[in-house]
Amino acid sequence: MTILTARVPEELAGMRLDQCLAEIFPDYSRSKLQTWIKAGRVLVDGEVLKGREKLDGGEEVELDAEAEIVIEDNAEDIPLDIVHEDDSLLIVNKPAGLVVHPAVGNWSGTLVNALLHHEPNLAVLPRAGIVHRIDKDTSGLLMIAKTLQAHNSLVEQLQERSIEREYLALVKGWMTAGGTVDEPIGRHPVERKRNAVRRDGKEAITHYRLEQRFKRHTLIRVKLETGRTHQIRVHMAHINYPLVGDQIYGGRFQMPAECNPDLAEALRRFKRQALHAAKLGLEHPETGEYCEWSVAMPDDMQNLLKLLAENELDQA
């Protein structure tokens, strides 16, 4: 149980209780504070009040901030590649093939199940503390809040677009320069499991720059300004540079010309989008310090780049 107490500042006189609490306890979201008010977990001078009641200033407020269990998924002993962990924050390197959230067809064996085994207290947080996601077949960095205060801070940073997220993606085609794709994304009008660029979609902005070029492929570094589902995959396909291995947006597989046997076999076997969340930067929810983490590409992507480079030498 966490009991927090505070005196309502005189300058907040005339404000509603729910508004005052948002000022006094900024580490908690307004929706969470309103839930606690309705549950009778907020006392004002020893009395339970409604959220809309106005305060005079000077009252003693007592908040029972104990978190309730909101996640009922099973904990499972699944290995985690932990890049950083402290009392309020967990950064993991998710392997390709691991689903983030349990859903139809994947009720177990997910990152959430693994997190609940590693830290059972995450059961009291929305989505076990996960505030953003990457696709099942995308690898790389994910941030997880370990407290409600940290969860609220990370959600706010995402909304303010202050979190740095960089991806490495291998695309089909020889790019001549980097650029920006500023095109709204929404549900595909026919295929409901896909997204598409459409005028009535939500704002989506993707910045990309060249990292390494091959004859018929390009490795790019991508920065997200927004975080729409499948954003990088949709935007790159939209400008005719789909990701290698993308089974949804990559189009029909075509073997590029002038491939040596090893490269041809590797491309044929690469059945996931060649996308890796390589860098993550944020303001630490407790200290306010800017923190940044980077992880190398997984072996399958590194091997593909190695074979592409060797193929270039073969054709020289």
Side-chain angles (χ1 to χ4, degrees):
M1 180 179 293
T2 303
I3 301 296
L4 304 176
T5 60
R7 182 176 295 277
V8 178
E10 297 295 339
E11 58 266 27
L12 299 185
M15 292 182 64
R16 294 160 46 119
L17 171 60
D18 53 3
Q19 295 172 329
C20 286
L21 290 184
E23 296 290 332
I24 298 170
F25 303 110
D27 286 339
Y28 299 102
S29 68
R30 289 179 179 242
S31 61
K32 176 57 69 175
L33 290 169
Q34 290 170 344
T35 298
W36 285 337
I37 292 171
K38 293 176 182 177
R41 294 169 67 162
V42 177
L43 299 179
V44 179
D45 287 339
E47 297 184 5
V48 175
L49 302 181
K50 294 182 178 179
R52 65 174 179 271
E53 295 190 49
K54 295 183 179 180
L55 303 185
D56 298 323
E59 295 95 336
E60 285 287 340
V61 176
E62 184 176 290
L63 169 64
D64 175 5
E66 181 181 11
E68 310 93 337
I69 292 178
V70 295
I71 296 290
E72 297 181 353
D73 298 297
N74 295 324
E76 297 179 30
D77 188 3
I78 301 170
L80 287 171
D81 182 0
I82 297 174
V83 177
H84 169 84
E85 183 172 17
D86 56 41
D87 290 340
S88 58
L89 187 64
L90 180 64
I91 307 294
V92 301
N93 181 17
K94 187 190 84 68
L98 181 64
V99 174
V100 174
H101 297 289
V104 176
N106 294 102
W107 291 115
S108 63
T110 71
L111 179 62
V112 166
N113 301 115
L115 289 171
L116 293 174
H117 181 271
H118 174 74
E119 179 53 77
N121 290 333
L122 291 175
V124 304
L125 298 176
R127 297 181 177 270
I130 299 172
V131 295
H132 70 133
R133 61 182 297 172
I134 55 180
D135 297 332
K136 171 186 175 182
D137 289 327
T138 298
S139 58
L141 293 168
L142 271 174
M143 55 186 172
I144 297 98
K146 295 178 66 177
T147 67
L148 281 170
Q149 297 96 318
H151 188 273
N152 191 43
S153 171
L154 295 178
V155 169
E156 287 184 354
Q157 290 183 59
L158 278 172
Q159 292 172 342
E160 294 168 357
R161 303 182 182 180
S162 61
I163 289 180
E164 293 288 329
R165 289 175 290 169
E166 282 193 7
Y167 293 73
L168 288 169
L170 182 64
V171 301
K172 301 176 186 177
W174 195 82
M175 281 189 174
T176 57
T180 296
V181 184
D182 184 353
E183 296 285 355
I185 291 176
R187 286 290 186 186
H188 192 281
V190 178
E191 301 176 51
R192 303 305 295 169
K193 291 185 177 182
R194 296 180 50 162
N195 285 338
V197 167
R198 48 187 298 169
R199 299 275 68 80
D200 59 348
K202 294 182 179 179
E203 181 187 29
I205 303 173
T206 303
H207 307 283
Y208 63 95
R209 59 184 173 86
L210 306 186
E211 192 77 8
Q212 188 175 4
R213 283 189 292 190
F214 305 95
K215 285 186 178 180
R216 290 175 174 79
H217 298 86
T218 307
L219 180 68
I220 58 173
R221 187 171 291 273
V222 184
K223 292 187 70 172
L224 289 181
E225 192 169 321
T226 55
R228 307 303 172 204
T229 301
H230 299 171
Q231 179 173 320
I232 295 173
R233 300 164 65 189
V234 171
H235 272 170
M236 290 301 107
H238 178 70
I239 62 172
N240 297 316
Y241 291 101
L243 271 61
V244 168
D246 196 328
Q247 302 298 299
I248 297 179
Y249 303 100
R252 185 173 61 86
F253 177 77
Q254 290 182 308
M255 185 64 67
E258 300 178 340
C259 279
N260 64 34
D262 289 341
L263 176 58
E265 181 66 13
L267 288 171
R268 192 177 290 111
R269 289 179 175 274
F270 204 94
K271 298 295 186 182
R272 74 172 183 95
Q273 62 269 10
L275 182 61
H276 174 66
K279 184 182 290 187
L280 180 64
L282 54 87
E283 182 181 287
H284 194 280
E286 186 174 341
T287 66
E289 177 186 2
Y290 179 77
C291 303
E292 189 173 277
W293 300 272
S294 299
V295 288
M297 288 181 291
D299 291 344
D300 61 347
M301 284 185 67
Q302 293 201 41
N303 181 61
L304 199 52
L305 293 175
K306 173 177 172 288
L307 292 173
L308 283 167
E310 290 176 353
N311 190 70
E312 301 276 298
L313 294 175
D314 290 346
Q315 303 302 324

